[in-house]
Amino acid sequence: MSSILILPVFLSIAVFDNFIVRSNSSINGSFFGVPLFGAYGVNSLAAYYVLLAFMLSLALSEYRFSVVVRALLFMSLAIAFYLVLGSLSRMAIVAISILYLGLHKDLIKSNFYLGGVFVIVVIFMGVSLFSIAYQEGIGVEKINQVINGLAAGDLDYVSSGRLTLYRVALEQIFNSPFSGVSFGGFGLHVQSISGYADLAGLSPHNQYITLFWKMGFPAAFFYIVFLVAVVYRAGANCGKVFRKWVFRLCLIVLIVFSSLWDALLIPNVAVFFFFLMGAFSSQGYKLDEK
């Protein structure tokens, strides 16, 4: 199913967008003409592509399919990498890099030559995409933002003002520690935030800050307890073979995504994540470990 989604999207980008994945603040592509949820703003759809890559990686690493199916999985993984890199979402690029490092380790163990081909393809696509992006001016602003921000030691600039949002959100949390801002937002306590023209719909871009900011301490505490219980159950029930995949999924979603985006508020990320954790939690999902 992951391949069935990825291949038509890539084809539409190739035919209608000249292989350019991102245009300004949205990701290009459609599923046989049907627009994709989360395309505007980049992060939501880019994160979803990472989760599709996670499923493909798990299948390629743990199951013994025919040569044709493995070739399809391999090609789909390469395309997923292309889509994520082309999105220029820094969050998604970090996450898929972590995922692919783990997959490369798995492939080297099981099939040294396949692992070698995999890393060559990934490096070639990465260098080519960033070269095109820089030369053609596609995303050059984002690339220069990271380079100049790191050179100046200005992490707020590198993160597009995220640190400012964190600071203001934390101040608001302590203004309303029990109820949070509830159905309100930043505009409940401030008139403006430096670097942001409009406060409507603006969020802290950090899942854990958002929990306390939106719901207050009591509700946020129980939500975190729920997350811990979900992770514990998945890790305890999935069996040794899949425990590393539970760890990788949690690292991607609960550490990378949730530190840089309100990932668990996004349907195509949160629903997919909790579905996978439920699958890992199922006793029937264990492999024979003898």
Side-chain angles (χ1 to χ4, degrees):
M1 293 303 295
S2 298
S3 295
I4 288 171
L5 176 62
I6 281 177
L7 295 177
V9 169
F10 176 72
L11 184 61
S12 72
I13 291 173
V15 173
F16 299 110
D17 299 296
N18 196 29
F19 293 96
I20 297 173
V21 177
R22 175 175 176 170
S23 297
N24 297 321
S25 296
S26 62
I27 297 180
N28 297 321
S30 65
F31 183 72
F32 296 111
V34 178
L36 301 174
F37 176 83
Y40 182 76
V42 173
N43 277 338
S44 298
L45 186 52
Y48 183 64
Y49 288 149
V50 175
L51 293 183
L52 292 180
F54 174 85
M55 287 297 297
L56 293 162
S57 299
L58 188 155
L60 187 64
S61 177
E62 302 300 340
Y63 293 95
R64 296 297 171 257
F65 294 109
S66 67
V67 173
V68 173
V69 173
R70 286 176 70 82
L72 175 64
L73 293 173
F74 193 89
M75 180 174 64
S76 300
L77 271 170
I79 290 173
F81 189 68
Y82 181 92
L83 294 175
V84 170
L85 280 186
S87 75
L88 296 174
S89 166
R90 291 155 291 182
M91 171 194 80
I93 290 171
V94 170
I96 206 166
S97 298
I98 292 171
L99 175 63
Y100 280 18
L101 283 172
L103 177 60
H104 177 248
K105 177 184 174 184
D106 295 342
L107 293 178
I108 286 291
K109 282 185 177 179
S110 61
N111 189 321
F112 180 82
Y113 296 106
L114 182 60
V117 170
F118 177 75
V119 75
I120 290 170
V121 169
V122 167
I123 290 174
F124 173 77
M125 292 186 83
V127 171
S128 299
L129 263 174
F130 277 105
S131 176
I132 292 170
Y134 205 84
Q135 290 175 13
E136 300 297 325
I138 307 163
V140 65
E141 184 179 337
K142 284 291 180 186
I143 295 171
N144 284 335
Q145 177 184 348
V146 174
I147 294 172
N148 296 335
L150 290 175
D154 189 346
L155 295 180
D156 196 40
Y157 180 67
V158 171
S159 65
S160 301
R162 300 289 197 269
L163 298 184
T164 295
L165 292 180
Y166 295 171
R167 176 183 56 78
V168 175
L170 289 171
E171 290 173 357
Q172 294 189 356
I173 288 170
F174 288 101
N175 284 335
S176 306
F178 295 103
S179 63
V181 297
S182 189
F183 293 103
F186 280 109
L188 223 62
H189 296 287
V190 295
Q191 298 298 314
S192 64
I193 297 177
S194 177
Y196 293 91
D198 187 8
L199 301 185
L202 190 62
S203 76
H205 290 70
N206 178 295
Q207 182 64 57
Y208 303 108
I209 292 177
T210 297
L211 287 178
F212 292 93
W213 179 70
K214 268 290 179 187
M215 302 192 296
F217 278 88
F221 170 77
F222 285 108
Y223 191 89
I224 291 174
V225 170
F226 162 73
L227 282 180
V228 171
V230 166
V231 173
Y232 174 79
R233 183 175 176 84
N237 289 355
C238 68
K240 187 166 58 178
V241 172
F242 285 105
R243 199 159 289 137
K244 67 181 178 184
W245 291 99
V246 171
F247 173 78
R248 290 173 186 177
L249 182 61
C250 291
L251 179 60
I252 289 169
V253 176
L254 298 182
I255 303 299
V256 178
F257 288 172
S258 294
S259 296
L260 301 169
W261 186 233
D262 310 289
L264 297 181
L265 299 183
I266 309 303
N268 59 348
V269 175
V271 172
F272 204 169
F273 169 73
F274 286 117
F275 172 80
L276 289 172
M277 295 303 280
F280 285 128
S281 296
S282 170
Q283 290 288 345
Y285 202 67
K286 290 185 179 181
L287 285 182
D288 184 3
E289 297 178 12
K290 293 180 181 179

